[in-house]
Amino acid sequence: SQTIHQWPATLVQPVGSPLSLECTVEGTSNPNLYWYRQAAGRGLQLLFYSVGIGQISSEVPQNLSASRPQDRQFILSSKKLLLSDSGFYLCAWSNRGQDTGELFFGEGSRLTVL
Amino acid sequence: GQNIDQPTEMTATEGAIVQINCTYQTSGFNGLFWYQQHAGEAPTFLSYNVLDGLEEKGRFSSFLSRSKGYSYLLLKELQMKDSASYLCAVSDSNYQLIWGAGTKLIIKP
C-alpha cells in the first residue's frame, strides 16, 4: 500500500532563518507531488506541484522554493523565513495520468516563525 | 475564473442531521471530492462523485448535480467526533483539485 510521510511535524524558527521540510512517498511510482499551505482557519493554498524529477511548478510568488531530487521525494525550502510564512504545511501525492485527481496527504508540518 | 463556495461555519446538535452545500464554477469537471479535516490534522478522504446522484457511505452521503454545479454532504446521527472542517474540492480538466475554503462544523451536545 502507498504511504506518505513528511517531517518535521512541528518547528519554531526565527525570522530570517532557513527552512527545509521533507516529504517522501512509498509504494507508488511517478506520483504527482504537491506542497500546500493552510493559514489558521483558512483553506488550502497550493504552493508547488511536480509531475516529475526536477519539474516544479510554482503557483504563487513567495520566498519559498521546492525541489524534487528523486521520484518520490519532495522538499520545501526557504533561505530566509518571514513572519507570514507561519502556517500548516501539507505534502500530498496523486496518481499520474487520467485518474480522478484524488490527493493523499502527509501528516502535516506546523511552522511558527517568531 | 474558477470558484468554489461553501459556508464558512455551521452548528448542529448531536444526533441530528446536517447538510453542507458546495457550489462550483470550474474549467472542466472530472469529479467532486469531500474531505474531512480535524483541527491540526491533515485532510482525509470522505467521498467522490463524478455522476449525478447520491452516494451513500454509512452515516455520510454526498450528492452531485453537474448541471447546477452543486453538491452537498449529508451527515446523519451526528456525533461529537464529527466536529471538523469539511472541504469541497473539484477535479478540473487537468485533474488538478480546486479547493473550497472549507466549512467548520461545530457539534453541540
Side-chain angles (χ1 to χ4, degrees):
Chain A
S1 64
Q2 302 92 350
T3 59
I4 177 169
H5 182 49
Q6 64 177 104
W7 68 92
T10 307
L11 64 167
V12 180
Q13 296 285 103
V15 169
S17 64
L19 171 73
S20 180
L21 300 178
E22 191 165 340
C23 172
T24 58
V25 180
E26 297 293 334
T28 187
S29 298
N30 304 316
N32 293 325
L33 296 174
Y34 305 81
W35 278 111
Y36 282 90
R37 178 169 60 202
Q38 188 175 37
R42 304 289 295 275
L44 296 174
Q45 178 188 31
L46 180 62
L47 300 176
F48 301 95
Y49 72 92
S50 171
V51 297
I53 296 174
Q55 300 178 62
I56 310 294
S57 296
S58 175
E59 291 297 303
V60 294
Q62 60 217 321
N63 68 322
L64 300 172
S65 62
S67 62
R68 186 170 177 173
Q70 301 180 43
D71 180 48
R72 291 171 292 178
Q73 183 184 27
F74 206 23
I75 298 171
L76 182 69
S77 304
S78 175
K79 293 182 179 179
K80 289 186 177 181
L81 284 168
L82 305 173
L83 287 173
S84 57
D85 292 324
S86 294
F88 190 49
Y89 289 81
L90 288 158
C91 181
W93 73 273
S94 67
N95 282 309
R96 185 79 59 82
Q98 293 190 352
D99 203 319
T100 63
E102 180 181 355
L103 289 179
F104 303 89
F105 288 90
E107 308 94 330
S109 300
R110 183 161 304 283
L111 170 65
T112 303
V113 182
L114 301 176
Chain B
Q2 307 203 93
N3 194 50
I4 297 183
D5 288 318
Q6 51 181 130
T8 302
E9 186 175 297
M10 299 181 71
T11 302
T13 304
E14 190 177 15
I17 299 173
V18 70
Q19 177 175 311
I20 302 174
N21 296 324
C22 172
T23 58
Y24 63 89
Q25 289 180 309
T26 58
S27 56
F29 180 84
N30 281 303
L32 185 144
F33 293 87
W34 285 97
Y35 280 77
Q36 181 189 58
Q37 185 179 24
H38 285 101
E41 299 181 8
T44 56
F45 171 82
L46 283 179
S47 68
Y48 172 71
N49 294 66
V50 67
L51 300 176
D52 289 351
L54 187 68
E55 295 276 348
E56 297 185 79
K57 191 185 297 185
R59 294 188 299 113
F60 292 8
S61 303
S62 56
F63 171 83
L64 175 67
S65 169
R66 288 172 297 172
S67 62
K68 295 182 179 179
Y70 168 70
S71 172
Y72 67 72
L73 180 69
L74 191 70
L75 292 75
K76 302 177 183 176
E77 301 171 14
L78 286 170
Q79 301 175 10
M80 297 303 293
K81 68 178 182 179
D82 297 329
S83 292
S85 288
Y86 292 85
L87 310 178
C88 175
V90 170
S91 181
D92 70 8
S93 56
N94 296 315
Y95 297 92
Q96 298 291 331
L97 293 195
I98 310 302
W99 293 87
T103 299
K104 182 178 181 180
L105 178 62
I106 299 170
I107 310 296
K108 295 186 174 180

